[in-house]
Amino acid sequence: MGNQASYVLAADFGAGSGRVVRGALDGRRLTLQEVHRFANEPVQLGDELCWDFLRLFHELKQGIQKGVEGTSSPVQSIAVDTWGVDYALVDGAGRLRRNPRHYRDARHAKFMNHVLAVVSERELYSMSGVLPQQINTLFQLFGHLQESAAEADEDTRLLFMPDLFHYYLSGEQACEYTIASTSGLLHAGESRWNEPLISRLGLPASLFPRLVQPGTVLGTLTGDLMNEFRTGPMQVVCTGSHDTASALAAIPAFESDFAFISCGTWSLMGVERELPVLSDLSRELGFTNEGTVSGSVRTLKNRSGLWLLQECRRQWQRENRWYSHEELIQCASTVRSHQSLLLPGDDDFISPGDMPERIRRHCLNTGQKAPETVGAIVRCILESLALEFRQTLDELEQITGTRPPVIHMVGGGVHNRMLCQFTANAAGVPVIAGPVEASSAGNCLLQYAAHGEAGSLSDVRDIAAASFDTETYMPQDSECWEEAYGRYRQLPR
């Protein structure tokens, strides 16, 4: 290729916003340019909470149009990654049956109980490796067909959110492995539909299309879209269609036994393994098993992220107190350590609202001093998050028998240097932070692997390491953090 960059587009849909990024690979260095960003807001329609797929597909097309403009060579391909579990049904004529439902739709809990009357939580976990939660595709689909059985005729197919975008881009129907692995509908740790479970729950086997691996080229843009964008035959590629799978592909790791934290509004923390962990202890501690782009398994747990800090900042803004993230960290740095601790995942903090007041009340109710100043509240949040990560590291050691010697942190949380340092202090292991834009980077690099311009997963990670800056945080103040961890573990749950 010489010095001529090679271009791809990555569409990264989160549960609150989305964006299209243009990646350019020049030799062994990847650069990213955001070309389009947009909101992703669910719509309450009667008693249904839905995703506005038509609006999202329009935004995707806007991103593609912007992405193909002004490049020195054609864009080779596009791939979409999204959040997990949600899906839609497409009929035999290729029409969307209805807008996809949101995983927070209130009815899912009722149908979870119906399924658990047929298959126990323990059996479901051992069959699928996925922690039973009301958001799971399995429970959503069961309820959907209880209410609307006629929508599942023999020509109808189920497509997860990224598969749905890929279908309307290329005309090809398939479910990519990493996104399907979030559903509870596969055999644990395998790229196979769990036909015994599907049959036992009375779900039509005809709903489930072929499964494909990350790196599969589905086809090219349809003729209509090529005409619309005035572009040549851009390929449509499956990468890690689950955003976490793409993010982990871009971790610049040279060791294999690391723990990862994908940290944003919420955090996912876990390890990569060859086989799923299916023990009663793993299930009781809340770990789930999902697919990686290399065909192995990520055993992980959903943990709190920067939600508490974001909600506090919104409340202070409502009170006409405006703080930058840097100012909040500066305020926290002047406060004495470990004065008050909280449980970040407590029910007190789930919904939006006056978070500073809830934090003060939570600390008082747990027999501690209430943090009154902005700095004290911020420090309470960040120290508590770090201690929650430490607890998760301990739990990973319990269920796997091995303690990871290093943590790789990616995502927006990397910007918070105080959280990164506190995590190293609490966990007692180094934290390597970066890249921030891991999902988009992994999405792009996996496309290049599909084109033969990058090799195996280790090669993809080598390119990520050469392309993005990271920072290593070494543990400090171990004695006082051990004392704080003891207090944290004594908080009433």
Side-chain angles (χ1 to χ4, degrees), residues 256-329:
S256 60
D257 53 352
F258 62 90
F260 64 82
I261 301 174
S262 181
C263 183
T265 302
W266 303 103
S267 294
L268 298 167
M269 184 171 183
V271 292
E272 293 182 335
R273 291 175 49 83
E274 287 302 312
L275 297 172
V277 183
L278 303 175
S279 64
D280 286 341
L281 179 60
S282 175
R283 174 175 53 83
E284 289 161 5
L285 291 174
F287 285 88
T288 196
N289 299 275
E290 298 170 350
T292 72
V293 298
S294 62
S296 60
V297 174
R298 55 181 190 265
T299 298
L300 59 89
K301 187 172 185 178
N302 285 303
R303 302 265 54 173
S304 304
L306 295 173
W307 162 255
L308 292 176
L309 189 59
Q310 291 165 351
E311 276 299 293
C312 284
R313 193 163 175 245
R314 277 188 275 270
Q315 179 60 33
W316 290 325
Q317 289 172 352
R318 285 191 285 268
E319 297 168 2
N320 208 28
R321 294 193 286 166
W322 299 80
Y323 300 99
S324 68
H325 289 293
E326 292 74 18
E327 287 170 332
L328 292 177
I329 299 304

Side-chain angles (χ1 to χ4, degrees), residues 441-461:
N443 182 321
C444 290
L445 287 170
L446 291 165
Q447 290 183 67
Y448 288 117
H451 300 318
E453 296 178 51
S456 64
L457 176 59
S458 63
D459 188 48
V460 164
R461 286 176 167 166

